[in-house]
Amino acid sequence: MKLAMVAAMAATVLSMVCAPAAAGEKVEVPVTLEINGLGQVTRAYGMAGTARNSADAQQMIACFVSATTAGAQGGCEARNAAGTSTLCITSNASLLAAEQSVRTDSYIDFSRSAAGQCTGIYVTNGSPNAVRQP
């Protein structure tokens, strides 16, 4: 009986040591541009960390805000692996607030009008996001 208990404990310890390591959810989203039938970019999305870690040396996605005493303006820009880029600009307070929430490891999703105005910005910061590497 005692031998069976020792064997069971040894098997349990061995299974714990040999079990594969698990970690939380990890997501990689490369920079992607959506283009309408007229060839205009209407939406761009991706993870800043994925873009930074990409092997192609082209991808980038970011948002920015600039302010003076006359007011604030900001925007988002993106470039995919093929080198195609887009940019949108806004002075809308709600969109500027979203742009200010962007971090180095954010997921960024923005829409733009044909005139280059930002029409929507979605930002998420969380543990699944790809983390930038040096």
Side-chain angles (χ1 to χ4, degrees), residues 88-122:
C88 72
I89 302 291
T90 187
S91 56
N92 175 280
S94 296
L95 297 178
L96 289 171
E99 291 166 351
Q100 288 177 316
S101 72
V102 170
R103 303 290 176 255
T104 57
D105 303 326
S106 294
Y107 169 82
I108 303 166
D109 186 329
F110 66 92
S111 300
R112 65 184 299 275
S113 70
Q117 291 295 308
C118 299
T119 58
I121 299 169
Y122 173 80

Side-chain angles (χ1 to χ4, degrees), residues 40-53:
Q40 300 166 326
V41 176
T42 57
R43 178 180 173 217
Y45 61 90
M47 285 188 175
T50 303
R52 171 141 175 110
N53 300 338

Side-chain angles (χ1 to χ4, degrees), residues 31-33 35 41 54 56-60 77-87:
V31 176
T32 304
L33 305 182
I35 300 172
V41 176
S54 67
D56 56 63
Q58 287 291 320
Q59 292 185 58
M60 64 85 60
E77 56 186 319
R79 184 174 56 239
N80 65 12
T84 304
S85 61
T86 191
L87 168 74

